[in-house]
Amino acid sequence: MNSNGLGLHIVLTGAPGCGKGTQARILKEKIAIPHLSTGEMLRAEAAKGTALGLEIKALIDGGNLVPDEMIVEMLSGRIDEDDCKNGFILDGFPRTLPQAEVLENMLKQKGITLDAAVEIQVPDEIIMERILGRYACMKCGHGYHDKYQKPNIYGVCDDCGGTEFYRRIDDNRATVQNRLVNYRALTYPTIPYFEKKGLLRCVDGTGSIAAVSKKIDDLLAIK
Ligand code: AMP
């Protein structure tokens, strides 16, 4: 709960592959508030195969950002849904300074106060290895890694028993390089922005998933 008793509203930020999605899914289980990933929302839209979906897919597959007008309304509507009334974990938004300002105004209009922006810090060399090795269960989305997080039984998802897995099309070396360039140029400026607002909390994201999760719990005072 934050100071006005309205639940926990946080932004998880950091470079692509720093572990935002993984940590958001762990947090979501622990504190029972939804994980809002703009990347997942956009991939769902892309999968519909509509004209808009195809436009979004081309941008994602090239590692480029999707224009704000394609996201902001979608995100605002999602925040208005019932399950967000006790808070949310925002993953992948804001990705630019203008988006940070849009978020601030959007939340103000909804009477919501952001509690923290947690930056998960991981060096670029580690990021590339993490992203190129990652894959997920087709059925439940549980994430794995070729080297660091294999399923207990080869080819079977630990969580749901699913036997089909996928890799994201944008998880290839050239696209990741472009995503990292975009991160430095466009997303990184949101870090000092959150710092000025007194919301920034930084976590070293290079340890194990459990170790990073523990650090996030500690700084958000989650038991
Ligand atoms: P993610 O799942 O967060 O890695 O996002 C995958 C892709 O979705 C990104 O590389 C962008 O193409 C797009 N995307 C996700 N969130 C945003 C955002 N806030 N603004 C612009 N594009 C986004």
Side-chain angles (χ1 to χ4, degrees):
M1 286 284 164
N2 68 13
S3 52
N4 47 24
L6 292 175
L8 191 63
H9 301 86
I10 57 172
V11 165
L12 278 189
T13 186
C18 72
K20 296 185 294 287
T22 303
Q23 295 300 333
R25 279 182 278 275
I26 295 174
L27 256 183
K28 168 187 152 183
E29 293 301 318
K30 244 180 254 173
I31 54 181
I33 56 175
H35 167 207
L36 310 186
S37 156
T38 46
E40 277 172 20
M41 291 177 202
L42 290 166
R43 281 189 287 279
E45 195 59 46
K48 290 181 189 163
T50 56
L52 174 68
L54 293 178
E55 217 179 308
I56 290 174
K57 183 172 171 5
L59 289 164
I60 293 179
D61 290 354
N64 297 309
L65 293 189
V66 170
D68 291 358
E69 60 273 20
M70 294 185 186
I71 307 175
V72 172
E73 214 174 298
M74 187 172 72
L75 178 64
S76 174
R78 181 66 187 88
I79 290 176
D80 290 339
E81 284 177 33
D82 225 34
D83 62 334
C84 292
K85 66 179 185 307
N86 289 321
F88 51 72
I89 306 153
L90 206 44
D91 157 15
F93 194 99
R95 248 182 167 90
T96 62
L97 262 185
Q99 287 185 5
E101 282 154 9
V102 165
L103 180 68
E104 188 176 351
N105 291 331
M106 184 197 293
L107 295 183
K108 202 180 280 169
Q109 277 172 13
K110 296 179 193 296
I112 294 171
T113 312
L114 201 61
D115 297 292
V118 178
E119 183 201 8
I120 305 178
Q121 300 174 323
V122 176
D124 287 5
E125 322 71 87
I126 297 183
I127 279 176
M128 191 57 89
E129 202 196 3
R130 279 191 185 179
I131 294 188
L132 296 184
R134 74 183 179 181
Y135 63 99
C137 171
M138 200 93 108
K139 205 163 139 198
C140 73
H142 188 99
Y144 294 96
H145 190 279
D146 293 327
K147 199 160 147 195
Y148 303 116
Q149 210 200 342
K150 300 178 184 176
N152 293 325
I153 301 169
Y154 178 79
V156 181
C157 176
D158 296 343
D159 260 19
C160 74
T163 52
E164 287 184 276
F165 298 85
Y166 71 95
R167 290 178 195 266
R168 279 170 49 173
I169 293 173
D170 58 341
D171 281 355
N172 65 76
R173 191 172 293 275
T175 304
V176 174
Q177 258 148 6
N178 192 32
R179 285 157 67 196
L180 286 171
V181 167
N182 280 334
Y183 177 76
R184 298 279 166 244
L186 302 172
T187 310
Y188 189 77
T190 63
I191 301 290
Y193 171 90
F194 283 126
E195 189 172 22
K196 266 194 218 117
K197 306 255 166 207
L199 292 170
L200 186 67
R201 310 281 180 273
C202 299
V203 170
D204 172 3
T206 57
S208 68
I209 293 173
V212 176
S213 166
K214 167 89 175 63
K215 285 181 210 163
I216 294 176
D217 289 354
D218 288 348
L219 64 84
L220 294 175
I222 293 168
K223 300 274 180 320

